[in-house]
Amino acid sequence: MTTPDNEELYQHLSFPLPYRVLVLVGLGILGWATNLHGLDVSGVDTIAAMDLRTDTGIAKPVMPVHHSAAFNHLKVVDLYHAAYRLFSLYSFSCFLSWSFYRLVTQGDPARVDSYGYIPVITTLAIIIVLLCPYDIFLKHEREKFTLGIRRCIFPAPNGPIYFSDVVLADIGTSFAKVFGDIWQSMWMLKPGNSILVPPVHDNWMRWILPTVMSFPFFIRFRQCLIEYNMPGNESRRPLFNALKYATSFPVIYLSAAQRLVVVDLIKEKGKKLAGEVWHGEHPLFRLWLLAAVINSLYSFWWDVTNDWGLDLMKFEPPTNHERQPPRPLLLARLHSGTPLIRRYPDSLSEEDDRHAGQAHDLPKHRYRQSCYGLRSVLLYPRMIYPALIFLNLLLRMTWSVKLSPHVNLTRDGTVAFFWLEVAELVRRWLWVFVRVEWEVVKKIEEKNPANYLDDRSGDEGEYEMIPATPDLSERNLTL
């Protein structure tokens, strides 16, 4: 009969941590491709909404170039098709590597560490291909990804911080534990260590792992401070947003300090406490738990109220306008340089039709009337929002614990934590859809606030935007 310990050992033999990291990276690529695809199917002009634009370099970014909605539709189709191809190439390479690893190790613990170089070679090959300057292996898409990463790590001191950079950095925070697993994998594959057991670091080394995990939050924290210090900014919202990311640091570093808690309790009560995860009698443990709760609740509140723009948890009392039932949004002609909502197919110009190809088959975008606790403008069916709010709360609470490296310093249970990481990627994938939707709604309201007419005759209203004249030259649309 298979015991839980034997089952856990078998999972580590067949699916060790380095390959779990590669799978999570692949899921991130697939998630981004499906985000672009889903937003396009929903009728959102993703290129305009996310400030996807042409860049000549890191030091001198150019402003967004506006196109027609039909032109942008074709471009975003190219983007997510390329992302699907990139995912296919990446997943096929990882599958070949894992199959070869399973073939040579045959589930034998004595062989696992001997062939640990296989995932190392696979990872190095992926990095080399990603940075390869030659026009092979989807060079255009690789450059867009690396350029977006560089803009997040080395932003211009005086901004602006584009919305696409914000989304990319937020996605990076969901990969914080993945970055920590990469660091752990490097030490597990070091000669003398085992691929089956994560190494335990003492002294100053114990602070490297939490620092690696904190780096994505630091990037997003710095973006918020840059936005707050930009000339002309009069809002304190970026400062409160920076505070949200700052609450992650105590969770991560107090978790790294939990080894001191274990040492203290072993000295006081004996070695029988070494394998326990609950040490509520120690003040440092209670401080870590308090930090995790604060981070989870504050992040959840910010997601719902600010990132999604929902009214459910807003503190300010509603105005008379907000007490009124939601009204249809009439945007027959918004003369804006940035197309955000796809136009009616029959309103496309002849030039757009000539270059749009299949764009005439796109469905007419509809406005959905809201209900209590949401907001006036909803681009998705009402029924999905309560489910998203509940899932976000549930996964936010578990994710703060997962950010704590001390909970999986042993082999047992780390495969279960892998599924928590998958769940966090799913949460972030869902978050992107509503985050981009809210950005679209904000831009529409800012550009045309007078178009909220007192018309409550129907449950749904139709709207369109008149885009700028298309520029049909070839461009590199980057994150």
Side-chain angles (χ1 to χ4, degrees), residues 153-416:
I153 298 177
F154 305 106
N158 296 324
I161 301 297
Y162 292 101
F163 181 58
S164 59
D165 298 337
V166 170
V167 172
L168 182 60
D170 269 320
I171 292 175
T173 61
S174 291
F175 279 84
K177 188 61 180 68
V178 178
F179 296 143
D181 288 342
I182 293 174
W183 171 256
Q184 290 283 69
S185 299
M186 293 170 55
W187 280 97
M188 291 168 66
L189 296 171
K190 182 182 176 182
N193 291 338
S194 174
I195 200 174
L196 301 177
V197 181
V200 178
H201 303 294
D202 295 318
N203 301 323
W204 65 272
M205 289 290 292
R206 71 164 61 96
W207 305 110
I208 296 181
L209 177 60
T211 301
V212 171
M213 294 174 58
S214 299
F215 186 65
F217 296 96
F218 173 75
I219 291 177
R220 190 68 188 95
F221 175 79
R222 185 174 57 176
Q223 284 181 339
C224 294
L225 294 184
I226 292 176
E227 288 181 314
Y228 179 71
N229 292 316
M230 284 180 58
N233 176 56
E234 298 179 354
S235 172
R236 291 187 295 177
R237 182 182 178 277
L239 194 61
F240 291 118
N241 198 11
L243 179 62
K244 182 190 74 170
Y245 296 101
T247 60
S248 301
F249 302 139
V251 178
I252 298 173
Y253 282 98
L254 284 173
S255 172
Q258 294 306 303
R259 283 185 55 80
L260 303 177
V261 173
V262 175
V263 171
D264 291 343
L265 292 178
I266 287 178
K267 290 180 180 179
E268 181 180 348
K269 298 184 178 181
K271 294 184 178 180
K272 63 180 181 179
L273 296 176
E276 297 183 5
V277 296
W278 180 265
H279 306 293
E281 65 273 24
H282 198 285
L284 199 57
F285 180 85
R286 295 197 297 268
L287 190 60
W288 162 75
L289 193 61
L290 176 62
V293 171
I294 292 175
N295 172 256
S296 297
L297 295 180
Y298 188 29
S299 299
F300 168 72
W301 173 80
W302 191 272
D303 284 343
V304 173
T305 305
N306 292 275
D307 287 346
W308 293 353
L310 304 180
D311 300 332
L312 181 65
M313 303 175 66
K314 286 186 176 179
F315 296 143
E316 64 269 13
T319 63
N320 292 331
H321 171 74
E322 290 172 334
R323 289 194 186 100
Q324 297 174 356
R327 296 169 294 183
L329 178 62
L330 302 180
L331 297 176
R333 287 189 177 272
L334 264 183
H335 294 282
S336 168
T338 304
L340 295 173
I341 308 299
R342 186 168 301 132
R343 296 173 52 196
Y344 294 158
D346 55 6
S347 64
L348 293 175
S349 66
E350 294 182 1
E351 185 177 7
D352 287 341
D353 284 331
R354 187 167 59 254
H355 294 280
Q358 299 177 350
H360 61 279
D361 295 327
L362 297 176
K364 185 180 296 184
H365 202 14
R366 308 285 290 184
Y367 158 73
R368 293 175 176 84
Q369 194 178 27
S370 180
C371 60
Y372 178 78
L374 300 182
R375 48 176 145 80
S376 300
V377 181
L378 299 176
L379 303 185
Y380 305 133
R382 286 189 296 262
M383 64 183 68
I384 72 170
Y385 293 89
L388 291 178
I389 293 172
F390 173 76
L391 286 175
N392 193 66
L393 174 62
L394 180 64
L395 296 176
R396 275 292 187 187
M397 297 300 293
T398 57
W399 185 238
S400 281
V401 177
K402 192 65 190 78
L403 281 178
S404 305
H406 80 276
V407 298
N408 63 336
L409 287 177
T410 61
R411 185 187 69 229
D412 298 337
T414 52
V415 174

Side-chain angles (χ1 to χ4, degrees), residues 3 6-7 28 33 63 71 73 107 130 161 184 206 263 305 336 344 357 405 410 413-414 417 448 452-453 458:
T3 64
N6 291 336
E7 180 67 22
M63 294 302 292
F71 180 83
H73 163 69
L130 179 65
I161 301 297
Q184 290 283 69
R206 71 164 61 96
V263 171
T305 305
S336 168
Y344 294 158
T410 61
T414 52
F417 287 129
N448 208 20
Y452 285 92
L453 303 180

Side-chain angles (χ1 to χ4, degrees), residues 326-328 330 369 453-461:
R327 296 169 294 183
L330 302 180
Q369 194 178 27
L453 303 180
D454 194 7
D455 181 1
R456 305 184 182 93
S457 58
D459 183 66
E460 290 187 346

